[in-house]
Amino acid sequence: MTRLSWDEYFMAITRVVAERSTCRRRRVGAIIVSERRILTTGYNGAPTGLRHCLDIGCLREERGIASGERHELCRGLHAEQNAIIQAAHSGVSVRGATLYTTHFPCVLCAKMIINALIVRVVFGADYPDGLSQELLEEAGLGVEANVGAVVPKGGAEVDS
């Protein structure tokens, strides 16, 4: 029997976290890890206490907005944002940590990751955001693809 590597282990957990997503278009999960300990988790969905897109529909779908564009026209927060916010809410430092995410971070999340002083990002599926990649590289973050069934079951892109 082969034992999972730490990256495989944390990516598997990230896939489970993504199953909590309430987004109709894409299920994304993120976890922040330091010294092989999970600090926080996050998945994409509406802010606390607000109605979920699964229940009321997707503004982006209704307006035909392509993936990776017009982030401000969405009720939801991204998984990476929720993981960072959860750390702040709980008073947990993420300085020097690794963020695992099912999808490559968008530019908004990349800027938050940089300012949170996270030093490494491990992602599963790609996401169409060249500026995000440029910023992460410029900031000197380690960014690594973790290939292998990372997109959650039923969580592959569901937008057309």
Side-chain angles (χ1 to χ4, degrees), residues 23-143:
C23 178
R24 295 169 59 111
R25 297 177 83 170
R26 186 187 312 264
R27 286 183 171 173
V28 181
I31 65 172
I32 300 176
V33 174
S34 183
E35 299 178 5
R36 298 182 179 160
R37 303 290 185 264
I38 297 172
L39 303 177
T40 64
T41 67
Y43 52 87
N44 56 331
T48 303
L50 300 186
R51 295 175 295 164
H52 299 293
C53 298
L54 286 176
D55 300 327
I56 64 169
C58 175
L59 180 63
R60 296 174 60 80
E61 282 179 352
E62 291 169 11
R63 295 189 182 181
I65 299 168
S67 182
E69 298 178 8
R70 305 289 314 267
H71 295 284
E72 74 278 9
L73 295 177
C74 179
R75 293 179 60 82
L77 290 157
H78 291 182
E80 302 91 335
Q81 294 169 340
N82 273 326
I84 292 168
I85 291 166
Q86 184 62 39
H89 183 269
S90 301
V92 174
S93 173
V94 296
R95 177 189 297 254
T98 296
L99 184 138
Y100 292 85
T101 180
T102 55
H103 293 73
F104 192 87
C106 74
V107 69
L108 297 174
C109 291
K111 292 186 281 188
M112 290 182 70
I113 290 164
I114 292 164
N115 274 3
L117 303 178
I118 291 169
V119 297
R120 181 172 175 247
V121 175
V122 178
F123 69 95
D126 210 0
Y127 184 78
D129 198 326
L131 180 57
S132 174
Q133 185 171 359
E134 288 178 35
L135 294 178
L136 292 169
E137 287 175 7
E138 183 179 340
L141 266 77
V143 179

